[in-house]
Amino acid sequence: MKTPRSRESLDKSGESSREWGEEKEDGVIYTVSLKKVRHQTTTTSLQWETMKLRTLKAGTVERLVENLAPEDVEDQDTNSMHLNVFLATYRAFTTADEVLDILFRRYTEYKECRRRGENGKDSRHDVCRIIQSVLCIWMDIYQDDFDDPPAYRLLHRVLEFAEAHMSDGELARQTRHKLDRLRRNEALKGQQKMSVPNGHHLTSNEDVLFIEGSDSEQPLEFDTISVRTMADQLTYMDAELFKKVVPHHCLGSVWSRRDKKGKSTTDAPTVKATIAQFNAVSFLVIATILRSTSISIEERVRIIEKWIDIAQECRILKNFSSLKAIISGLQSNPIYRLSDTWAAVSKEKSEEYEELCTIFSEENNQMTWREILVKEGTAKYADTSNSQVKHVRKENMQKIQAQRLSGVMQGTVPYLGTFLTDLMMLDTAMPDTVDSNLINFEKKKKEFEVLAQIQLLQKTAQNYNIVPEPSFQAWFDSVEHLRYEESYRLSCEVQPLSESMSPPAQSNRKERSLRKRISRLFSTSDWETSSANSNTSQSEDRVSETSMPDSPDSLMPEKMSASSSSSSLTSLEMSTSPYKAYDSSSNCVIRVSLSGESDNIYKSVLLTHQDHTPGVIKSLMSKFNLDVEEAEEYRLVQKLPDGELQIPDHGNCFYAINQSVEPNFILRKKSEEGELHRKSKKRTTLRKLMEVVSTQS
């Protein structure tokens, strides 16, 4: 069945494509587009041809797996992209065993047809060959799916099938090779601890060997570690963890530690390790600043300024993970409230710190940070030429020039929280199934765009050439992290509460509210026990900010960076932001809170260019468990910096919204508007009276 519709676009080559409609078959929906391509027939003439392209939009598990090795020639052009998306995301809706079952059954069916001479289609031999290639690619790229020692059950399944059904022996040979390599790796892990002379023990931590009890592991002191050493070692630690992140662990359904049936899923250990390191760096900042309440303000200022220097050095190294962690530590409430100390920080350092803070500004969905990632993500060196702080621009240019002359390239360690948030937003905003419970493969494609960026940046992280220092690791591990209550108590000893301020346990209502808004992504610490242990079913209602605990809304004046990605030469340019609140095409995600309820609890809704206000309101009412029959009694309102924008009751919602501001909306009863108008008028009258009184006095 075909559902026609039309939308035309141009690709980079100037060739036009028109989205023609949809084709529905048993258990699958295809998006059909007509692409006009040109062929050069002679040296002087061109011939245009219209091609029909089918892209899988939704389907059952069986049809999704079958499409990995399509029988129809017209579907094989998009097979490579389908394979990449499927292998990156299939764990959210099926298992490796089920995928193998379908591939094996499909292979034997087509092989049997060939044996009986039923060659109705020339592609049948190709289907078997493609299935064999799919299995090889799967084992090679996603090795973790088959790394289940000591039995290696899935690999043995593949090996047994290959030996029984594939005569060329190529897949069997590759499977045996993979088995041997995984067994050797497992044996090496078993040798991580061994005896060495003089009673010491040699232990392996990642790729670094430490001798326990040796002089090289004697803890250092913060004051004795140079800024460059600190930044280098933090970058080494962050890069090693980031390179080991399993991309599909970052998926919203995986990261939230539940599947769609409410069952517990993987603990995403590679993501948790990265988050633990992020928190450890932030807590390290707090601990070093509050380590002693008896030191002078001048000495505490020197510690803060040193951390600003370390953050700047991380910026040069393109280590945005530790950069963000350091800023979060400096912005934490126990440090931020030390106004006397901050007042003594030099003007130059304050300007430098302020500019670093703007990198992760929440304005326009972290646009500044995303532009930097596009411009520098796969570049060899950082680019700080647009710095507004003169001395920073000069010093950084000298350091980058020295890197160029020495031939040392820098990798990139991104702030992973941005990608985790994007994936959680996608998981919340887009349905898992469409049209009678078919798996929404369009959602998987969107998720794959984010995962592909992570994979690309993991390759660039290989460029670092930093030598680890065991003594630094020992010091890093030896610093005791402070619980929030302890850090706040020490902060109050350094600078006592003023008479106008109440104890935090009684009156710090704003602080408690802010803690609820911190990221569930980066909340594994003791400070966020209540958040981390909350009911996971709330994850769809609260799409979290990405900041560390106790960070006030406005810690430093935030200004948008003047950076531009126009000169970008990186491979990330194809996708400036895989997920933005406002998509550059024909859809966007908005956040809607219910009038009278907390702004911190909201629903995410995906708008397309076809959505009209009544349907959007009904969808929201369903999400908020309201009676949909009362939809006409509600109105959708967009929050603007200087007021509100009422969305027309029966208009196209997508084109009616203001896309130049944050996508924050309110679902409000029309009956409440009269009361709101009266309150607003009363406030205006009161303000005028106060102005009159002030003038007369």
Side-chain angles (χ1 to χ4, degrees):
M1 183 177 69
K2 296 181 180 179
T3 306
R5 65 172 182 269
S6 178
R7 197 174 71 193
E8 190 167 354
S9 62
L10 291 174
D11 60 18
K12 288 190 173 181
S13 65
E15 298 175 343
S16 64
S17 63
R18 183 186 298 272
E19 188 177 313
W20 184 74
E22 293 179 351
E23 288 186 0
K24 294 185 178 181
E25 298 177 3
D26 183 26
V28 66
I29 302 175
Y30 292 98
T31 298
V32 181
S33 59
L34 303 177
K35 186 173 183 180
K36 200 173 182 180
V37 298
R38 51 188 174 182
H39 303 283
Q40 188 159 357
T41 56
T42 67
T43 56
T44 58
S45 64
L46 292 173
Q47 181 178 345
W48 290 89
E49 178 185 357
T50 300
M51 296 178 59
K52 175 185 174 183
L53 301 176
R54 297 204 310 175
T55 306
L56 197 148
K57 179 180 180 181
T60 62
V61 173
E62 179 126 1
R63 295 305 300 268
L64 292 181
V65 176
E66 287 177 0
N67 209 67
L68 296 174
E71 180 180 336
D72 294 335
V73 175
E74 64 181 11
D75 295 332
Q76 291 182 7
D77 290 337
T78 57
N79 176 252
S80 177
M81 176 56 71
H82 179 81
L83 174 63
N84 288 330
V85 176
F86 182 89
L87 291 180
T89 61
Y90 79 86
R91 300 154 199 84
F93 55 85
T94 187
T95 64
D97 276 307
E98 185 176 10
V99 175
L100 287 177
D101 288 341
I102 298 172
L103 287 175
F104 292 167
R105 182 170 64 250
R106 188 168 173 80
Y107 186 95
T108 53
E109 287 174 356
Y110 276 88
K111 185 178 179 181
E112 181 64 20
C113 287
R114 188 169 69 248
R115 188 187 65 80
R116 293 196 303 238
E118 298 176 3
N119 294 322
K121 292 192 177 182
D122 295 336
S123 61
R124 280 188 172 142
H125 180 266
D126 286 339
V127 169
C128 294
R129 179 180 55 81
I130 293 171
I131 290 175
Q132 185 171 339
S133 297
V134 167
L135 290 169
C136 290
I137 292 170
W138 184 7
M139 289 190 299
D140 186 48
I141 299 179
Y142 294 95
Q143 177 177 298
D144 287 346
D145 289 357
F146 300 88
D147 189 4
D148 54 344
Y152 299 102
R153 185 180 57 81
L154 290 178
L155 277 178
H156 278 291
R157 281 198 65 188
V158 176
L159 180 59
E160 290 169 5
F161 183 84
E163 290 176 339
H165 299 278
M166 298 179 182
S167 57
D168 62 3
E170 178 60 24
L171 180 60
R173 185 189 64 79
Q174 291 195 32
T175 307
R176 291 192 198 95
H177 177 72
K178 185 71 67 178
L179 264 171
D180 291 342
R181 191 166 68 178
L182 290 175
R183 283 168 175 162
R184 286 197 301 269
N185 291 343
E186 188 65 21
L188 288 174
K189 291 178 183 178
Q191 299 173 7
Q192 286 183 351
K193 201 160 191 175
M194 63 191 75
S195 298
V196 295
N198 301 325
H200 298 307
H201 289 87
L202 194 64
T203 63
S204 174
N205 184 358
E206 308 297 342
D207 300 323
V208 192
L209 294 178
F210 304 103
I211 299 180
E212 298 177 353
S214 68
D215 293 338
S216 63
E217 215 181 53
Q218 291 300 316
L220 303 174
E221 292 293 336
F222 178 73
D223 297 336
T224 64
I225 305 174
S226 70
V227 168
R228 179 58 188 272
T229 298
M230 181 77 75
D232 280 350
Q233 295 305 305
L234 289 177
T235 300
Y236 172 81
M237 296 166 71
D238 291 338
E240 289 301 302
L241 288 171
F242 177 61
K243 287 186 291 185
K244 291 177 173 59
V245 167
V246 178
H248 69 259
H249 284 178
C250 300
L251 288 171
S253 58
V254 175
W255 167 245
S256 62
R257 287 173 284 187
R258 59 175 182 80
D259 62 14
K260 298 305 174 181
K261 297 178 181 177
K263 296 178 181 178
S264 175
T265 62
T266 177
D267 287 331
T270 59
V271 177
K272 288 177 67 175
T274 302
I275 293 173
Q277 170 69 9
F278 179 97
N279 285 334
V281 173
S282 287
F283 296 149
L284 182 66
V285 173
I286 297 168
T288 53
I289 295 173
L290 298 176
R291 61 182 176 177
S292 174
T293 58
S294 60
I295 62 175
S296 64
I297 285 183
E298 290 75 16
E299 189 171 349
R300 207 176 309 278
V301 165
R302 281 196 294 272
I303 297 173
I304 289 178
E305 291 184 343
K306 183 173 181 178
W307 276 116
I308 295 173
D309 290 338
I310 294 168
Q312 190 64 251
E313 199 68 34
C314 287
R315 174 69 183 90
I316 297 296
L317 292 169
K318 296 194 296 175
N319 178 5
F320 296 100
S321 182
S322 277
L323 171 58
K324 169 72 171 175
I326 292 169
I327 291 173
S328 297
L330 293 173
Q331 290 180 343
S332 65
N333 199 47
I335 306 302
Y336 169 74
R337 64 173 298 280
L338 301 177
S339 56
D340 292 345
T341 304
W342 282 104
V345 173
S346 68
K347 181 181 178 181
E348 286 188 348
K349 292 302 174 188
S350 294
E351 292 175 348
E352 189 174 341
Y353 172 61
E354 188 175 325
E355 185 171 69
L356 290 171
C357 288
T358 62
I359 292 176
F360 297 101
S361 166
E362 293 296 327
E363 292 184 25
N364 294 324
N365 196 28
Q366 296 185 332
M367 179 62 71
T368 303
W369 154 235
R370 294 182 189 274
E371 287 182 349
I372 290 174
L373 191 60
V374 168
K375 190 174 183 179
E376 303 179 30
T378 55
K380 295 180 180 179
Y381 309 100
D383 182 2
T384 60
S385 57
N386 59 352
S387 173
Q388 302 300 307
V389 184
K390 186 175 180 180
H391 77 275
V392 170
R393 184 169 63 250
K394 182 178 179 180
E395 292 174 4
N396 287 354
M397 288 179 65
Q398 291 174 347
K399 292 176 182 178
I400 294 170
Q401 184 62 25
Q403 290 176 354
R404 292 178 186 273
L405 292 174
S406 65
V408 177
M409 293 190 303
Q410 302 301 340
T412 301
V413 181
Y415 169 52
L416 192 63
T418 300
F419 298 111
L420 296 177
T421 302
D422 288 349
L423 289 165
M424 286 185 71
M425 290 283 282
L426 281 172
D427 186 51
T428 302
M430 299 185 73
D432 295 307
T433 58
V434 295
D435 201 73
S436 302
N437 218 31
L438 298 181
I439 295 163
N440 185 359
F441 206 65
E442 287 295 320
K443 174 178 180 177
K444 302 308 164 190
K445 293 173 188 175
K446 291 280 188 182
E447 292 175 330
F448 174 72
E449 291 178 12
V450 185
L451 299 182
Q453 283 206 32
I454 295 174
Q455 291 172 326
L456 178 61
L457 290 169
Q458 284 179 313
K459 293 179 180 178
T460 68
Q462 304 284 349
N463 292 336
Y464 287 114
N465 188 25
I466 300 172
V467 178
E469 295 187 10
S471 57
F472 177 86
Q473 177 76 55
W475 170 79
F476 184 88
D477 294 337
S478 70
V479 178
E480 183 180 358
H481 296 166
L482 303 173
R483 293 177 63 88
Y484 175 76
E485 293 78 6
E486 178 66 11
S487 64
Y488 197 93
R489 183 186 65 78
L490 292 173
S491 176
C492 291
E493 287 185 21
V494 173
Q495 182 173 325
L497 290 166
S498 64
E499 293 181 1
S500 61
M501 297 176 65
S502 303
Q506 296 178 9
S507 70
N508 211 337
R509 191 171 301 171
K510 179 182 178 182
E511 180 185 325
R512 290 197 300 272
S513 175
L514 288 166
R515 281 207 228 168
K516 292 180 181 178
R517 297 175 54 192
I518 67 117
S519 173
R520 291 184 69 245
L521 308 176
F522 288 71
S523 60
T524 58
S525 67
D526 291 335
W527 290 10
E528 289 303 316
T529 304
S530 60
S531 175
N533 294 335
S534 62
N535 190 332
T536 56
S537 66
Q538 296 177 357
S539 63
E540 292 187 1
D541 297 342
R542 183 182 302 143
V543 183
S544 306
E545 304 290 338
T546 48
S547 56
M548 281 295 295
D550 311 288
S551 298
D553 274 336
S554 179
L555 297 161
M556 296 293 291
E558 292 185 337
K559 297 173 286 188
M560 288 299 292
S561 170
S563 64
S564 170
S565 59
S566 59
S567 60
S568 171
L569 300 176
T570 74
S571 302
L572 286 172
E573 190 170 15
M574 289 292 292
S575 178
T576 303
S577 172
Y579 170 83
K580 288 184 181 180
Y582 292 116
D583 196 295
S584 59
S585 57
S586 58
N587 57 69
C588 64
V589 175
I590 64 173
R591 299 188 291 265
V592 186
S593 57
L594 190 61
S595 178
E597 301 292 335
S598 171
D599 289 343
N600 301 329
I601 306 298
Y602 55 84
K603 307 292 182 180
S604 295
V605 176
L606 178 70
L607 289 186
T608 72
H609 68 290
Q610 298 176 332
D611 287 330
H612 287 68
T613 306
V616 175
I617 289 178
K618 288 180 180 179
S619 174
L620 286 166
M621 293 183 69
S622 177
K623 285 176 174 283
F624 282 114
N625 296 320
L626 300 174
D627 187 357
V628 179
E629 298 296 327
E630 300 177 357
E632 292 186 359
E633 300 179 15
Y634 283 81
R635 174 165 287 153
L636 188 62
V637 179
Q638 184 176 10
K639 298 166 66 176
L640 303 177
D642 56 350
E644 293 181 345
L645 171 65
Q646 290 189 358
I647 306 303
D649 289 344
H650 299 284
N652 186 301
C653 195
F654 178 81
Y655 293 109
I657 65 179
N658 185 338
Q659 298 197 15
S660 64
V661 299
E662 290 292 318
N664 297 321
F665 291 75
I666 298 173
L667 183 63
R668 177 186 296 148
K669 262 196 171 185
K670 294 177 181 178
S671 59
E672 297 177 13
E673 293 177 350
E675 180 65 23
L676 288 172
H677 178 72
R678 286 192 294 273
K679 288 182 178 179
S680 177
K681 189 174 181 180
K682 184 176 180 181
R683 284 195 298 268
T684 303
T685 303
L686 182 60
R687 185 173 64 252
K688 289 182 178 179
L689 286 172
M690 292 177 67
E691 290 174 355
V692 171
V693 172
S694 177
T695 303
Q696 292 177 350
S697 61

